Amino acid sequence: MFNVDITGEYVAFFLFAVIIIGGAVLMISLEKVVHMVISMAAAFLGLAGMYVLLDAEFVAFVQVLIYAGAVSILMIFGIMMTKHNGEAAEPAKPLHETLAAVGALCLFGLLFYSIRASDFQSAGAFDFGEDNTLAIGEQLFTSYIVPFELLSILLTVAFIGAIALAKKEAD
């Protein structure tokens, strides 16, 4: 039934999958916002690892740089700049938690059955090309240089505007 060769890539896939799923589950189940951001960053890093397994190095680099780095830091700054005065936790609702667990198990069973029952056709040989990061860089700095520079100006203006709004609220 399961004819699988245990290779390093196979083990890495499941390790990254556990990191992604664990980070996502912790993100929605933890109560402190800082812990949520850290678990979300772990999920982003696991996703970057998946991109490396798929030979998409540039996308993995962008995933680490933008999502795991910048978005997490931005959320932590947002948490630090806002006031959190005695937020009361909601009381536990065991019926809702039980129904959610049963629904998740049913969804997992349905997905497992549909994947096992489907007939996947084998893909042909994939041509990796020379270097996808080099090709993206050449396109970005030759054909798309004007949109790239306009985007950098737009992000700079948005950054200055965010600082001005934050300073105005502090006064």
Side-chain angles (χ1 to χ4, degrees):
M1 180 173 179
F2 293 108
N3 296 330
V4 178
D5 295 330
I6 306 281
T7 62
E9 186 176 338
Y10 189 75
V11 172
F13 171 80
F14 277 103
L15 180 69
F16 288 135
V18 166
I19 291 171
I20 292 169
I21 293 170
V25 168
L26 287 174
M27 170 65 190
I28 61 174
S29 62
L30 291 174
E31 292 183 12
K32 294 192 176 193
V33 181
V34 175
H35 296 158
M36 291 174 164
V37 171
I38 292 170
S39 62
M40 183 183 67
F44 286 153
L45 290 173
L47 187 60
M50 286 287 195
Y51 287 138
V52 169
L53 288 177
L54 292 171
D55 291 326
E57 299 88 9
F58 180 75
V59 180
F61 174 73
V62 169
Q63 179 75 24
V64 169
L65 189 69
I66 302 297
Y67 288 106
V71 171
S72 298
I73 296 298
L74 183 71
M75 291 181 77
I76 289 174
F77 278 134
I79 292 165
M80 289 170 30
M81 292 180 73
T82 58
K83 295 179 183 176
H84 301 280
N85 295 333
E87 296 176 4
E90 290 185 23
K93 298 178 182 175
L95 178 64
H96 290 148
E97 292 175 358
T98 305
L99 288 175
V102 168
L105 286 174
C106 290
L107 178 64
F108 175 76
L110 180 66
L111 289 173
F112 183 78
Y113 171 75
S114 61
I115 289 171
R116 295 299 301 156
S118 60
D119 182 30
F120 293 112
Q121 299 176 2
S122 67
F126 181 71
D127 180 27
F128 287 107
E130 288 102 36
D131 188 7
N132 57 4
T133 307
L134 178 65
I136 291 171
E138 286 176 353
Q139 286 292 316
L140 187 63
F141 290 114
T142 56
S143 302
Y144 298 104
I145 189 69
V146 173
F148 180 74
E149 291 300 325
L150 289 175
L151 183 64
S152 66
I153 291 170
L154 177 71
L155 289 173
T156 304
V157 169
F159 183 66
I160 292 170
I163 291 172
L165 285 175
K167 185 173 171 100
K168 189 181 290 184
E169 288 179 4
D171 293 337

